[in-house]
Amino acid sequence: MKKNKILRLIGIFLVLVMMTSIFSACQSAKTPGTGKQQTTTPLVVGYLEFSEKFSPFFADTGYDNDVVAMTQVSLLTTDRTGAIVYKAIKGETIPYNGVDYLYTGIADVEVNYDEAKDETVYLWTIRNDIKFSDGKKMTADDIIFSYYAYSDPAYVGSSTLYSVPIIGMNNYRTQTSDEVFEKFDKMWDDINAAGADHVWSPSDTWTKEQQEAFWAMNKEEWMADVQAIVDYVNAKYSAYFEDYTGYTPDQVKAEPGLQIMAGMVLWGFGSTDEEGALTSAVLEKKWTLKDGDFPTIEDYYNETFAAYGGNIAEYAGVESPGDNAADVFKDKFIRAEGPKDPSLGEEGIPNIAGIKKLSKTQVSVTVKGFDASAIYKLGIQVSPLHYYGDETKYDYDNNKFGFDFGDLSKIQEKTTQPMGAGPYKFIKFENKIVYFEANEHYYRGEPLTYYMQFKVTNDADKIPGVATGTIDIADPSFGNAQVEEIKSYNSNGGTTGDKITTSTVDNLGYGYVGINAATVNVGGIPDSEESKNLRKALATLLAVYRSLSVDSYYGERASVINYPISNTSWAAPQKSDDGYKVAFSTALDGSDIYTSTMNADERYAAALDAAIDYFVAAGYTYDSASKKLTAAPAGAKLEYEIIVPAGGSGDHPSFVLATKFKEALESIGMTIILNDPADSNVLWDKLDAATQEMWAAAWGATIDPDMYQVYHSNNVIGNEGSSESNHYHIQDAELDQLILDARTSPDQAFRKATYKACLDIIIDWAVEVPTYQRQNCIIFSTERVNIATVTPDITTFWGWANDIELLEMNVAE
């Protein structure tokens, strides 16, 4: 059963929750901090709605996390490219954009990999003068408390610290030894494989009680996941209800039964007819709906259970809208049944063996193997034990960590009232405004702007709000209309002027055109030179029209990129790097296709000539007299499809590119079907079925440039255990090894060189044509904010709130 891909994002995104603070500290060599007069004029920042989870443990939206970040500090410090600052106590000077910046933070981190043991030790050393906003000093005990809170099995926040293979983490969370954990892990697999109809017998390797517990918990977790599907659909996709169900969003919102119906229909488990009745996709059960006959969550569960034969692992791998339901279930099963194993005795597992307090300022974390991205999860925000925990329940030497195992109720009680060692103190949230006051104990110095407010502001009101003085800083949408609106307020007609100052930053992601090696090849051999030459012919023509397409859609708000990686990443090749090349600008003989003197039309003609050479090398027959391709080699075609999900209206940054690409190829006898579906599910369904040929989309990116999920052979669609993100079907042993090699070292220079080698292989396969890097913006009130005190060189990883303690207001007292 495949879910309806209405529910896919415009791009397919990689998600990593970053728990590093937005308040790494930095000073330019040109702009040292000063002890200037503090102002009481409030700084007002426009935000969209908050969900009031203002907790370092439980915040799960960007807006709530920004509130939290004002009050917290993190172990990990990163620079403007997202790279790690290992010696943050004294600081490291790192150049960016021609300026040397000194980056400081609360902690140093040492990373040591022991190849013989295959273990990595992360040693955190914090400053000895960090104080929380109530004046109490931070110590290693606060780090230990925070680590254990994130690791507790009762923890339900967005941090995935528990997923890092810390020595002893699974033992502690499940209260089992390695042997017992492995025993119950296998037991779960065996009972699941036996199926719901299995009749227990004494020959089974599990007890009857364990089997009964398994299936009771199976239903509980499965139903919870089905409810999550319903919630997800109703929260995100009400705009599609009328088209796909026949019921309006208001009708669905008013009736819980219709909400379940919508969850079934838009996830592919049912359909409605002209009379408004619902029929399920597998069991073919019918509900009249209009007569008050509605499906229940159990009905939906029964439908999905039947679709997957009761195998929750198979179900979850395809259908779970969030965390994999089978993984959640297995974890709970082991935690519930494992501790009952007679071999464990009564003491249980008292601590996490890999997390150790070494002194008042040092904590070490030992992890199995090495994963370069693990440090981002370990570099947590350090929360005060005395505020979020219970000091009477903390005794490190006796395995007491500030709360009872499995009980985080006191931490949850503080969800709306954050406290920490950050630059500001949270005062209250009232009338949709978050009120802050400067933290006099902030280690970088008390902020020069004493009062700050985060004010809920509709997106449409952000630009006029900054222009008229209602708010001082905002992050509005940044389309053509918004650009013109900003210009209209400034007397100079620019985006930066007397009313508004605009700072643009690259979006954490990029646009691309993909080519499926499994469907675009010669002779069914995706990695042959002939197949690569076929794809290079297509990629060369796609690439030459990128500037035209991107400029016409975004103007100055986006730029063409030449490698399949976001420009925001420290691993992205720079023009000044050795071996940097414009994407698909090399001819078959290795020479450059273009010269610096060519105009646009000459470049288009040169690209077409180069493409013809690649086609011929791929085995196509080309008639020089008619200037047409007349025959394709076995396994290749004279007709291909490119899907650009532009809503049927051509509204897409790659639509002009695809149109010109089609025209160019049809001029030499190849037919290109330009598919602009009104329903983007056409693309997502083809991607899932691996039948797409060429398509336009966008990737989201993360702070760490790990390429495993998208380009490793293990993750090709259809492979067992696949993340199903390798839509390019690139399967290259050298690339696979390089991806794994890049994970094994903390050396950024080594990793960057290794990723450059990966990118070159991806380009050689010609399965992805990088197209654009778009921009977002932050706007400031030129009149009210002293722009000279805003942190310079804002980037995707270095927001306006860095160096917040130095920001000043212009308004006189």
Side-chain angles (χ1 to χ4, degrees):
M1 176 65 63
K2 295 288 186 182
K3 53 182 173 283
N4 194 320
K5 293 304 178 288
I6 285 172
L7 307 175
R8 284 295 185 89
L9 302 173
I10 289 300
I12 302 166
F13 296 98
L14 306 176
V15 178
L16 175 68
V17 177
M18 300 188 303
M19 294 305 292
T20 57
S21 170
I22 65 173
F23 295 108
S24 300
C26 167
Q27 287 185 342
S28 166
K30 299 178 179 179
T31 313
T34 63
K36 294 184 179 179
Q37 178 73 34
Q38 189 177 56
T39 177
T40 56
T41 300
L43 172 69
V44 183
V45 186
Y47 270 87
L48 297 182
E49 291 282 351
F50 300 104
S51 64
E52 293 187 70
K53 290 184 179 179
F54 302 142
S55 167
F57 297 99
F58 301 116
D60 57 10
T61 70
Y63 308 124
D64 284 5
N65 271 307
D66 282 358
V67 172
V68 171
M70 286 290 165
T71 69
Q72 305 295 314
V73 291
S74 292
L75 288 175
L76 185 65
T77 299
T78 55
D79 69 7
R80 281 170 168 78
T81 66
I84 296 165
V85 179
Y86 290 92
K87 298 294 184 182
I89 292 179
K90 289 187 176 180
E92 295 182 20
T93 298
I94 302 172
Y96 181 84
N97 199 24
V99 179
D100 285 342
Y101 291 104
L102 175 65
Y103 295 89
T104 60
I106 71 163
D108 289 346
V109 58
E110 295 179 26
V111 183
N112 296 294
Y113 174 63
D114 187 324
E115 189 172 356
K117 293 182 179 180
D118 190 26
E119 292 179 351
T120 304
V121 177
Y122 298 83
L123 176 63
W124 299 98
T125 303
I126 60 171
R127 292 170 51 142
N128 62 7
D129 60 349
I130 303 297
K131 291 183 179 180
F132 294 107
S133 60
D134 62 355
K136 187 161 185 176
K137 185 176 287 190
M138 177 189 294
T139 70
D141 291 324
D142 298 295
I143 302 173
I144 293 293
F145 161 73
S146 299
Y147 271 144
Y148 271 87
Y150 287 121
S151 303
D152 194 86
Y155 176 73
V156 292
S158 59
S159 169
T160 54
L161 173 74
Y162 57 81
S163 69
V164 178
I166 298 171
I167 303 300
M169 175 65 79
N170 281 336
N171 306 123
Y172 178 75
R173 284 172 57 81
T174 62
Q175 288 297 293
T176 63
S177 64
D178 287 343
E179 294 76 17
V180 171
F181 182 89
E182 291 173 5
K183 171 184 174 180
F184 280 83
D185 183 81
K186 184 177 185 301
M187 181 187 298
W188 188 97
D189 292 338
D190 291 343
I191 298 176
N192 187 58
D197 295 332
H198 175 74
V199 178
W200 181 85
S201 72
S203 63
D204 289 332
T205 57
W206 59 85
T207 67
K208 184 178 181 181
E209 290 74 20
Q210 287 166 340
Q211 178 171 305
E212 290 173 348
F214 176 96
W215 289 109
M217 198 177 296
N218 177 289
K219 182 174 183 179
E220 178 183 339
E221 294 304 322
W222 200 320
M223 286 185 67
D225 199 67
V226 168
Q227 181 64 60
I229 293 173
V230 172
D231 295 342
Y232 183 81
V233 169
N234 281 272
K236 300 291 186 181
Y237 298 99
S238 60
Y240 296 96
F241 286 172
E242 192 161 9
D243 288 341
Y244 286 87
T245 72
Y247 292 86
T248 67
D250 287 342
Q251 288 175 312
V252 174
K253 184 178 181 179
E255 173 50 58
L258 289 181
Q259 294 170 20
I260 296 171
M261 174 276 298
M264 294 176 69
V265 172
L266 271 74
W267 218 253
F269 284 98
S271 59
T272 54
D273 58 26
E274 294 180 355
E275 297 178 355
L278 169 69
T279 301
S280 65
V282 179
L283 300 176
E284 298 183 347
K285 185 174 179 180
K286 189 169 183 176
W287 295 269
T288 58
L289 300 181
K290 290 185 177 180
D291 297 330
D293 179 24
F294 300 114
T296 65
I297 282 295
E298 187 155 6
D299 289 326
Y300 196 172
Y301 156 76
N302 290 334
E303 187 72 16
T304 56
F305 191 90
Y308 287 94
N311 190 317
I312 193 171
E314 293 182 3
Y315 157 85
V318 178
E319 309 296 350
S320 286
D323 291 338
N324 184 291
D327 293 343
V328 173
F329 169 27
K330 178 181 280 191
D331 181 67
K332 289 185 176 181
F333 176 77
I334 295 172
R335 285 194 281 112
E337 298 298 315
K340 301 176 185 177
D341 194 84
S343 67
L344 292 174
E346 298 182 1
E347 293 186 2
I349 309 298
N351 56 45
I352 302 169
I355 298 179
K356 296 185 181 298
K357 172 186 170 183
L358 305 181
S359 71
K360 289 184 178 181
T361 59
Q362 286 191 318
V363 170
S364 69
V365 182
T366 303
V367 174
K368 183 67 177 173
F370 179 85
D371 182 345
S373 65
I375 193 170
Y376 293 102
K377 297 177 183 178
L378 297 175
I380 60 170
Q381 292 171 333
V382 182
S383 301
L385 159 66
H386 67 277
Y387 180 75
Y388 285 102
D390 184 340
E391 289 183 285
T392 66
K393 294 182 178 181
Y394 185 88
D395 183 345
Y396 176 79
D397 293 332
N398 289 295
N399 300 307
K400 297 171 67 178
F401 304 109
F403 55 90
D404 294 330
F405 181 83
D407 181 7
L408 301 181
S409 57
K410 184 171 182 181
I411 296 176
Q412 290 168 331
E413 289 171 2
K414 304 292 178 67
T415 295
T416 61
Q417 294 286 324
M419 198 269 276
Y424 279 87
K425 296 182 290 186
F426 176 93
I427 303 302
K428 62 181 178 179
F429 178 57
E430 185 176 272
N431 297 324
K432 295 192 174 184
I433 299 174
V434 180
Y435 292 87
F436 299 97
E437 292 179 5
N439 174 14
E440 62 185 303
H441 301 292
Y442 185 48
Y443 78 103
R444 289 273 296 164
E446 186 174 10
L448 294 174
T449 299
Y450 188 79
Y451 295 110
M452 182 162 56
Q453 301 171 10
F454 284 3
K455 182 178 182 179
V456 173
T457 307
N458 292 330
D459 192 67
D461 296 330
K462 288 181 177 179
I463 294 172
V466 170
T468 60
T470 305
I471 54 178
D472 303 312
I473 301 175
D475 61 340
S477 298
F478 198 46
N480 290 330
Q482 286 78 21
V483 169
E484 293 306 312
E485 185 178 6
I486 292 171
K487 290 179 177 179
S488 72
Y489 284 108
N490 286 325
S491 60
N492 64 0
T495 54
T496 291
D498 55 339
K499 293 291 185 181
I500 297 175
T501 295
T502 303
S503 174
T504 58
V505 295
D506 285 338
N507 182 59
L508 190 58
Y510 67 95
Y512 71 94
V513 174
I515 305 177
N516 183 356
T519 57
V520 182
N521 62 60
V522 176
I525 307 173
D527 62 347
S528 70
E529 286 304 310
E530 291 80 5
S531 294
K532 291 180 181 179
N533 285 333
L534 164 56
R535 295 192 295 270
K536 285 175 182 177
L538 300 170
T540 297
L541 284 172
L542 287 165
V544 76
Y545 294 110
R546 292 176 301 164
S547 292
L548 176 66
S549 192
V550 173
D551 288 349
S552 65
Y553 192 86
Y554 282 117
E556 297 179 357
R557 294 177 292 109
S559 58
V560 170
I561 58 173
N562 289 306
Y563 289 89
I565 185 172
S566 173
N567 277 348
T568 61
S569 175
W570 53 261
Q574 303 298 313
K575 290 181 180 180
S576 58
D577 293 346
D578 290 340
Y580 183 92
K581 291 281 293 183
V582 172
F584 303 105
S585 63
T586 304
L588 180 66
D589 63 4
S591 62
D592 291 336
I593 296 174
Y594 314 110
T595 68
S596 59
T597 60
M598 286 181 175
N599 62 30
D601 288 337
E602 289 170 337
R603 291 173 64 85
Y604 302 151
L608 185 60
D609 289 341
I612 291 170
D613 290 342
Y614 276 119
F615 279 126
V616 172
Y620 279 77
T621 301
Y622 179 72
D623 179 44
S624 57
S626 64
K627 297 184 178 180
K628 301 288 184 182
L629 297 170
T630 58
K637 303 188 299 180
L638 283 170
E639 177 181 291
Y640 286 102
E641 178 187 53
I642 182 169
I643 305 174
V644 182
S649 64
D651 184 16
H652 192 282
S654 292
F655 190 79
V656 169
L657 176 157
T659 301
K660 293 296 184 180
F661 170 71
K662 171 183 171 70
E663 292 172 358
L665 282 173
E666 291 185 346
S667 74
I668 60 169
M670 177 173 282
T671 300
I672 296 296
I673 301 169
L674 174 49
N675 187 350
D676 173 11
D679 178 5
S680 61
N681 285 314
V682 170
L683 172 57
W684 312 133
D685 287 340
K686 284 201 170 188
L687 288 175
D688 277 348
T691 58
Q692 85 284 5
E693 293 173 340
M694 292 175 282
W695 72 102
W699 281 117
T702 65
I703 194 170
D704 187 80
D706 181 36
M707 297 180 176
Y708 182 82
Q709 188 172 354
V710 177
Y711 300 109
H712 196 281
S713 298
N714 287 349
N715 293 318
V716 166
I717 303 295
N719 285 353
E720 183 176 355
S722 169
S723 69
E724 302 203 337
S725 296
N726 184 347
H727 297 285
Y728 311 109
H729 290 256
I730 182 171
Q731 299 185 73
D732 187 289
E734 182 182 1
L735 174 62
D736 290 346
Q737 188 58 52
L738 287 168
I739 289 172
L740 296 178
D741 289 347
R743 285 180 154 189
T744 63
S745 173
D747 186 331
Q748 184 171 301
F750 167 79
R751 295 187 74 206
K752 181 172 182 176
T754 304
Y755 284 132
K756 174 58 165 60
C758 291
L759 295 168
D760 288 341
I761 292 173
I762 295 165
I763 292 291
D764 183 58
W765 269 69
V767 291
E768 183 176 1
V769 180
T771 53
Y772 64 87
Q773 173 80 63
R774 69 175 177 84
Q775 293 184 321
N776 300 322
C777 81
I778 301 291
I779 58 174
F780 302 85
S781 168
T782 311
E783 295 178 322
R784 288 169 56 83
V785 177
N786 182 346
I787 301 300
T789 65
V790 175
T791 189
D793 280 327
I794 293 172
T795 72
T796 308
F797 302 110
W798 190 264
W800 68 268
N802 282 282
D803 298 329
I804 188 70
E805 73 281 359
L806 302 178
L807 191 147
E808 299 179 68
M809 303 299 290
N810 281 327
V811 179
E813 292 297 307

